[in-house]
Amino acid sequence: MKHIFLIIILLTFLACNSKKNNTVFKTDKTNAENVSLKVLSGKEVVNELEKLGFFNLTSESELEMVKIGFEKAYSNFNFFRGPMRGETQSYMDNRYHMVDCEELFEIGGLTKYLDQVKPTFKKLGLELNYANEKSEQDQNSWKHTIELNGIEYTAFNEQFSDQDWSIAYINFIEMLNAQLRQQNLDEQFYPINCGNDGTFVLLTPKLLEFVHNNYPTDNEHPTTMINWKNIK
């Protein structure tokens, strides 16, 4: 009888302890879910972007307008993009760049968009000089090269296909990123989309991580070159 009584007490203790542990586990899980589901306000997003150095290439005279633009884009559309200068294709933040991928692929497009990106390099204290653009073309293929700061890069070297614009876009970003690495900068240009209204943006790894954690991961937001190639 005594043994039975002890067994009942032991089982009761184990049941209570198990219930307690389950309650703790559920509470911890709930807390973790609450943390992961926390959504920042537009102002908080802008503050974090500023801490991470996103606006350090923005002119002082345009800084407030750029911050307001990013705040509204996030609050209203959950979108990572700032304002442009009037009717131009120039972004005020000096990190975003618009590119018409068809124009980039064609004769004259490469140097046009190198000129567009050059002010960003200048703000970073880097060189972006081009020379010795070469073109060898026949009915089926085209080899297009250019030197950036004395190093030759391939703008296009393929048989013609329906992927021409995309290939030129990838090669353009990769040659720019190669120059950023060559000049010891940890920032890189990340692709967003290609077409008549293509875009890409300059980010540090921490900025890219912040964008991935707080914005949608879709084809309207920056991704790594590896992911972009796999998607396309």
Side-chain angles (χ1 to χ4, degrees):
M1 187 71 177
K2 184 184 294 185
H3 291 299
I4 294 173
F5 181 70
L6 289 174
I7 290 171
I8 292 172
I9 292 175
L10 180 60
L11 290 173
T12 302
F13 172 78
L14 291 173
C16 292
N17 193 52
S18 175
K19 184 177 181 181
K20 179 182 177 182
N21 288 338
N22 286 338
T23 302
V24 172
F25 174 75
K26 289 177 181 178
T27 301
D28 289 344
K29 184 178 179 181
T30 300
N31 289 338
E33 288 176 349
N34 287 339
V35 171
S36 64
L37 292 173
K38 181 182 179 183
V39 177
L40 299 179
S41 68
K43 190 172 290 295
E44 288 173 325
V45 163
V46 169
N47 288 340
E48 290 302 315
L49 287 173
E50 186 166 28
K51 289 177 185 176
L52 293 170
F54 182 85
F55 303 113
N56 62 3
L57 301 184
T58 306
S59 300
E60 189 66 31
S61 61
E62 296 176 317
L63 182 58
E64 194 59 31
M65 193 178 298
V66 170
K67 288 182 180 180
I68 292 172
F70 272 89
E71 181 179 342
K72 288 182 176 179
Y74 176 82
S75 299
N76 298 337
F77 308 107
N78 204 11
F79 200 55
F80 180 59
R81 194 76 59 89
M84 304 180 80
R85 294 185 182 92
E87 299 300 319
T88 71
Q89 293 186 335
S90 175
Y91 284 92
M92 291 183 182
D93 54 71
N94 294 309
R95 288 182 172 275
Y96 261 94
H97 290 279
M98 179 173 282
V99 56
D100 182 322
C101 293
E102 179 182 10
E103 186 176 29
L104 172 67
F105 170 72
E106 294 175 346
I107 296 293
L110 179 60
T111 54
K112 172 184 175 177
Y113 287 107
L114 284 171
D115 285 340
Q116 178 179 292
V117 174
K118 192 168 184 174
T120 297
F121 273 72
K122 185 176 181 180
K123 282 184 173 290
L124 292 166
L126 306 180
E127 295 290 330
L128 185 63
N129 300 313
Y130 65 83
N132 296 327
E133 184 179 9
K134 297 177 183 177
S135 178
E136 300 175 15
Q137 184 175 348
D138 58 32
Q139 289 184 341
N140 301 313
S141 64
W142 183 25
K143 182 178 181 181
H144 186 192
T145 62
I146 196 167
E147 289 183 9
L148 302 184
N149 299 327
I151 300 174
E152 185 175 84
Y153 294 94
T154 299
F156 190 85
N157 187 15
E158 304 283 342
Q159 297 284 322
F160 293 123
S161 72
D162 58 1
Q163 296 298 311
D164 292 346
W165 300 1
S166 181
I167 293 169
Y169 173 75
I170 290 170
N171 289 344
F172 184 66
I173 294 175
E174 288 187 329
M175 70 172 71
L176 294 176
N177 285 342
Q179 268 304 306
L180 293 174
R181 290 190 297 270
Q182 183 76 17
Q183 298 183 61
N184 300 314
L185 194 77
D186 69 340
E187 303 191 37
Q188 295 278 280
F189 286 106
Y190 292 93
I192 299 174
N193 51 55
C194 181
N196 299 120
D197 296 317
T199 45
F200 55 95
V201 63
L202 181 70
L203 302 172
T204 63
K206 287 185 177 180
L207 277 167
L208 180 65
E209 181 181 11
F210 177 79
V211 172
H212 282 176
N213 289 338
N214 293 276
Y215 290 86
T217 52
D218 56 25
N219 60 3
E220 294 296 327
H221 291 85
T223 187
T224 63
M225 187 62 77
I226 292 174
N227 286 342
W228 204 90
K229 289 179 180 179
N230 288 336
I231 293 170
K232 300 304 175 183

